[in-house]
Amino acid sequence: MSVESVVAAPVAKKVPVEREHHGDVFIDEYEWLREKQDPEVLAHLAAENAYTEAQTAHLQGLREKIFDEIKSRTQETDLSVPLRIGDYWYYSRSFEGKQYGASCRCPIDAEAVGIDAWTPPQLEVGAEIPGEEVLLDVNALAEGHEFISIGTVAPSRDGQLLAYSFDVLGDERYTLRFKDLRTGELLADEIVGTTGGATWSHDGTHVFYQTVNEAWRPDTVWRHRLGTERAEDVKVFHEPDERYWVGISTTRSEKYLIIGLHSKITSEQWLLDSATPEGEFQVILPRREGVEYSVEHAVIGGEDRFLILHNDVVDGVKAENFVLCEAPVADPSRMTQLIGHSDDVRLEDIDAFRDYLVLSYRREALPRVAVWPLTESGYGERRELDFDLELFSAGAGSSPEWEQPTLRIGLTSFLTPMRIYDYVPATGALLLRKEAPVLGGYDPDEYVQQRDWAIAGDGTRIPISLVWKKDAVAEGPKPLLLYGYGSYESPIDPYFSVARLSLLERGMVYAVAHVRGGGEMGRLWYEQGKLLSKKNTFTDFIDCARHLIDTGVTAADRMVADGGSAGGLLMGAVANMAPELFRGILTSVPFVDPLTSILDEDLPLTVIEWDEWGNPVADKEVYEYIKSYSPYENVAAKDYPAILAITGLNDTRVLYVEPAKWVAKLRDTKTGDSQLLLKTEMSAGHGGVSGRYEKWKEIAFEFAWLLDTVGLSGE
């Protein structure tokens, strides 16, 4: 069947299935699409793909042009800034014409001393690097597979062994392998079905890893001794409570191994001296419902101490935005407060080095970094790093060494390609190591980024970030892409995108609505957009869209909304609540059938999600509230915007069936002649296709569609 012959939209058959909870009966006519192995389901998805391709065939030339633009602006053969671990500099390579990169290393100059030993070598593309070793070439690993994702590339502390993991299906279940870096030999040890991570014991004899239960929840930590059969692996920790995820890491000091478990609202940490990897982990602070905490090991005034971030009650008031305390290792409950609670500052992380601490926090909807020197008597003067930008994202990069006189910092903005700095706490020097190259004469002065504010219906000020090219934007209402997420306290911070230039060059404005439910404005911002306040996320986005229309920035027939995963729930809700505000809606792996998913305790991730959305199984009020905004259940006979939904058949977080059912119901119910498209990647998961060229093709497909939707496909 040729693309040209596909003219009619697929019509999914109706098979009524009754679902009853709390006395409410819902008839689901498309639940049959959940049977992933059913040939009829696969045929329907294939028909949707054929229809989507036919409906967008006229954009093939534009897709190719956008792909070529992304490719031409990208330095395809490149090297990352080397990072010191032990006696080696570790870095990654990319290669022109190859989908994937390689992890490499070279030895540190033995004659280097002091600060010079921390100055990364200036690696040049095409130049020979003395002593270079290719640790893992992902291109070779990917041969014979349509998809590959790397979970970890982790050298042992002495640099003699490498642990790495990979997933070739997109279901986020990884195979863990080991390589002897002294000989290049691949060891016989193979562990299938891990979550992707690997944590070495200090002596390099053992590796700790996690596995998942039937609901695909990371619930168990195992200890594997190199050279032994997997059947001999020891289960060192298991968490039976379905609300908690389990992970394991090591402190930067390498003195302790820490098992961390967390639900959406509660956490607990367990500790083991790394010198005794076969010992028993001990709880640091027992879990208490609604209290989150994290622990970092530091040496303060010559004594081992714990630095503890927590949101427990302090002086009778819940420390929603967290406080920082220190405590003796022998008794972590004896805490002394170092930084108190602030309504305006959300403390996010504390990193300890031998000579200083690094504090990460948020203020005024932007991430901040401060460095705090340690002295013989305790603490010096804390200094916030200043980057002299209105909008930016800055954060501590990977700096794994305990005795490290420099701190790796990353900085980006809508206009600033990623910059990698080394900050020297002893002098305050900020040393630029690299700015990501943008080929083709990119000039940031030709663009504008700014912050605007919309007023929500309840009077709350909602930040909006905007970026556009000065000369490309015409007078009057402008074509605009409005992005939103608004869940899990995840912030959408300013970042540079080479691909986005293809939109800006054609006159589009790119905007981000920093709606409640995200993390931009602190914990209370998140709390006001979850559970029985979730609708604030949707109404905030709508109010941002109306603000951009009312102020003349754009118009309803020139605006496309965009969001994926939980942001896809936002897109589906907005489509039902205010379809008249948007010309189109673009959404990837959208969570558009939340009630069906959250009611099914056997589905992956369901139980842990109850702290985010509420438990509709046990609580009728929660059931009715989620049903009142569920995109799938609220599809109505109205004129919807054009919609492009993209999903992955192997997605384990948001199952493909959700957008498949949603599009089928929209097509059957809506009025008007708006275009509804579903594209299913048949060998991908939640993160979409793998390989950078395939990702660029996917971006080009989406961009061509949205440019066409707002009338810019010919410009």
Side-chain angles (χ1 to χ4, degrees):
M1 182 170 60
S2 67
V3 168
E4 292 76 12
S5 67
V6 182
V7 293
V11 177
K13 71 177 183 180
K14 297 179 181 181
V15 182
V17 174
E18 185 177 290
R19 186 193 73 205
E20 181 175 358
H21 288 273
H22 304 291
D24 176 68
V25 177
F26 174 68
I27 304 300
D28 192 340
E29 297 175 318
Y30 301 105
E31 180 63 12
W32 67 274
L33 288 166
R34 188 175 299 276
E35 298 301 322
K36 181 178 176 181
Q37 304 303 326
D38 186 336
E40 191 172 3
V41 172
L42 295 176
H44 176 76
L45 297 178
E48 289 280 14
N49 281 349
Y51 176 69
T52 295
E53 181 57 33
Q55 292 294 300
T56 59
H58 66 289
L59 299 174
Q60 180 61 34
L62 180 58
R63 295 201 295 257
E64 292 174 357
K65 187 173 183 179
I66 293 172
F67 175 87
D68 289 341
E69 290 169 0
I70 297 171
K71 190 171 183 288
S72 68
R73 293 184 177 117
T74 302
Q75 185 164 302
E76 297 181 66
T77 300
D78 204 359
L79 300 102
S80 67
V81 180
L83 178 70
R84 178 174 173 174
I85 304 176
D87 296 327
Y88 294 90
W89 291 107
Y90 290 83
Y91 52 95
S92 61
R93 280 185 174 275
S94 62
F95 311 94
E96 183 175 357
K98 292 189 177 183
Q99 294 275 16
Y100 307 100
S103 296
C104 307
R105 74 178 182 184
C106 65
I108 291 173
D109 183 356
E111 298 180 359
V113 294
I115 193 69
D116 292 335
W118 295 94
T119 302
Q122 298 296 310
L123 306 182
E124 296 183 8
V125 173
E128 181 180 352
I129 300 174
E132 180 179 58
E133 301 174 66
V134 177
L135 307 181
L136 184 69
D137 185 345
V138 182
N139 296 287
L141 195 62
E143 289 182 4
H145 302 289
E146 292 184 36
F147 176 95
I148 193 166
S149 173
I150 301 300
T152 190
V153 180
S156 59
R157 184 66 183 86
D158 59 12
Q160 296 183 0
L161 298 166
L162 181 76
Y164 67 93
S165 62
F166 55 94
D167 160 29
V168 295
L169 296 176
D171 62 0
E172 300 182 64
R173 299 300 167 258
Y174 295 81
T175 297
L176 182 60
R177 296 299 309 268
F178 302 90
K179 182 179 180 181
D180 189 327
L181 297 179
R182 295 162 296 188
T183 64
E185 175 190 7
L186 188 64
L187 303 185
D189 308 56
E190 182 178 64
I191 305 171
V192 177
T194 78
T195 59
T199 300
W200 287 97
S201 64
H202 184 69
D203 60 7
T205 58
H206 297 80
V207 163
F208 295 84
Y209 64 92
Q210 301 110 261
T211 57
V212 300
N213 65 3
E214 292 182 357
W216 295 43
R217 174 181 65 92
D219 69 338
T220 304
V221 177
W222 300 82
R223 184 180 67 237
H224 174 75
R225 186 176 185 88
L226 268 291
T228 65
E229 296 293 328
R230 182 177 185 178
E232 300 177 37
D233 289 359
V234 177
K235 182 190 296 185
V236 299
F237 190 90
H238 174 73
E239 175 53 53
D241 193 326
E242 289 288 336
R243 297 176 301 164
Y244 290 84
W245 281 31
V246 178
I248 184 168
S249 61
T250 182
T251 60
R252 184 176 282 100
S253 65
E254 298 183 334
K255 189 165 186 176
Y256 300 106
L257 292 160
I258 293 182
I259 290 176
L261 51 147
H262 62 90
S263 72
K264 301 293 184 183
I265 60 173
T266 307
S267 57
E268 186 176 76
Q269 311 274 314
W270 291 66
L271 187 76
L272 177 66
D273 192 311
S274 61
T276 58
E278 296 185 355
E280 297 291 328
F281 283 82
Q282 302 295 321
V283 68
I284 298 175
L285 293 169
R287 74 187 75 174
R288 289 171 47 227
E289 190 73 11
V291 176
E292 301 165 72
Y293 74 91
S294 61
V295 173
E296 173 75 312
H297 169 242
V299 178
I300 312 295
E303 298 182 6
D304 285 326
R305 310 286 285 182
F306 282 146
L307 298 172
I308 302 173
L309 276 171
H310 73 79
N311 67 343
D312 203 353
V313 174
V314 178
D315 296 329
V317 179
K318 174 79 166 171
E320 295 283 359
N321 277 339
F322 288 74
V323 296
L324 176 64
C325 301
E326 72 160 72
V329 170
D331 186 1
S333 65
R334 290 173 47 210
M335 286 185 260
T336 301
Q337 186 169 288
L338 300 176
I339 300 177
H341 182 265
S342 170
D343 291 336
D344 302 321
V345 178
R346 165 69 159 94
L347 302 182
E348 294 190 322
D349 199 12
I350 184 72
D351 289 298
F353 297 81
R354 184 190 65 179
D355 299 320
Y356 56 91
L357 308 176
V358 179
L359 185 68
S360 301
Y361 50 99
R362 306 188 67 83
R363 188 181 71 247
E364 298 171 332
L366 292 174
R368 317 278 177 162
V369 179
V371 177
W372 202 353
L374 297 175
T375 66
E376 292 184 2
S377 59
Y379 304 92
E381 181 180 354
R382 194 164 67 240
R383 178 188 302 169
E384 179 176 293
L385 276 61
D386 182 17
F387 301 101
D388 194 29
L389 291 171
E390 178 187 5
L391 297 178
F392 64 91
S393 297
S398 182
S399 301
E401 293 291 284
W402 172 247
E403 299 182 14
Q404 184 155 325
T406 60
L407 172 69
R408 186 64 51 86
I409 296 288
L411 173 72
T412 186
S413 77
F414 290 117
L415 308 184
T416 310
M418 177 58 73
R419 293 176 182 171
I420 302 299
Y421 292 94
D422 279 341
Y423 177 73
V424 186
T427 64
L430 192 63
L431 309 174
L432 179 63
R433 298 305 189 194
K434 182 171 184 174
E435 179 171 302
V438 182
L439 307 182
Y442 169 72
D443 182 357
D445 291 336
E446 295 179 357
Y447 301 80
V448 176
Q449 64 173 359
Q450 72 177 38
R451 173 64 52 80
D452 197 359
W453 298 83
I455 306 299
D458 62 3
T460 302
R461 299 176 74 238
I462 313 298
I464 307 172
S465 297
L466 300 105
V467 59
W468 65 90
K469 187 175 183 184
K470 297 175 183 176
D471 296 339
V473 175
E475 294 296 325
K478 307 160 186 63
L480 183 142
L481 178 64
L482 181 61
Y483 179 84
Y485 187 73
S487 291
Y488 303 113
E489 202 179 2
S490 297
I492 306 301
D493 292 320
Y495 70 97
F496 185 81
S497 166
V498 166
R500 189 194 298 133
L501 294 176
S502 290
L503 298 181
L504 304 183
E505 290 284 340
R506 288 173 170 83
M508 280 203 87
V509 177
Y510 180 81
V512 178
H514 302 284
V515 295
R516 282 176 284 186
E520 289 89 342
M521 300 281 281
R523 173 54 62 90
L524 289 176
W525 196 254
Y526 167 51
E527 297 285 353
Q528 293 170 11
K530 64 182 291 195
L531 297 174
L532 295 178
S533 297
K534 186 62 200 172
K535 289 183 183 178
N536 284 335
T537 302
F538 317 140
T539 56
D540 283 357
F541 191 88
I542 292 168
D543 288 333
C544 288
R546 287 196 173 115
H547 172 80
L548 293 169
I549 293 170
D550 292 345
T551 55
V553 176
T554 189
D557 64 350
R558 308 224 76 191
M559 180 160 46
V560 173
D562 180 18
S565 194
L569 169 63
L570 169 60
M571 295 300 102
V574 164
N576 288 330
M577 296 168 67
E580 73 281 359
L581 295 180
F582 304 97
R583 182 73 172 182
I585 291 178
L586 171 64
T587 183
S588 298
V589 293
F591 184 41
V592 285
D593 188 17
L595 194 51
T596 302
S597 295
I598 299 173
L599 281 167
D600 190 344
E601 300 178 46
D602 295 328
L603 284 179
L605 313 182
T606 289
V607 175
I608 196 171
E609 292 292 302
W610 287 344
D611 286 334
E612 178 79 17
W613 312 99
N615 181 354
V617 177
D619 191 323
K620 181 179 180 181
E621 182 183 14
V622 170
Y623 175 90
E624 292 175 344
Y625 188 74
I626 296 177
K627 185 174 182 180
S628 73
Y629 67 69
S630 168
Y632 179 61
E633 295 181 63
N634 287 282
V635 169
K638 59 179 67 175
D639 192 2
Y640 283 87
I643 293 175
L644 170 60
I646 297 175
T647 188
L649 186 64
N650 296 326
D651 193 342
T652 59
R653 295 179 183 241
V654 179
L655 303 185
Y656 75 91
V657 67
E658 296 203 23
K661 289 169 58 176
W662 180 54
V663 169
K665 188 171 183 179
L666 280 166
R667 194 172 282 143
D668 180 65
T669 309
K670 75 175 182 69
T671 62
D673 58 356
S674 60
Q675 183 188 67
L676 301 178
L677 302 178
L678 173 67
K679 185 170 188 272
T680 303
E681 300 293 347
M682 304 304 283
S683 60
H686 196 66
V689 296
S690 71
R692 59 175 173 172
Y693 297 113
E694 293 306 309
K695 288 185 181 294
W696 294 350
K697 289 178 183 177
E698 189 65 40
I699 292 170
F701 180 89
E702 296 175 10
F703 282 10
W705 176 86
L706 71 90
L707 287 167
D708 188 47
T709 300
V710 296
L712 290 179
S713 59
E715 297 181 30

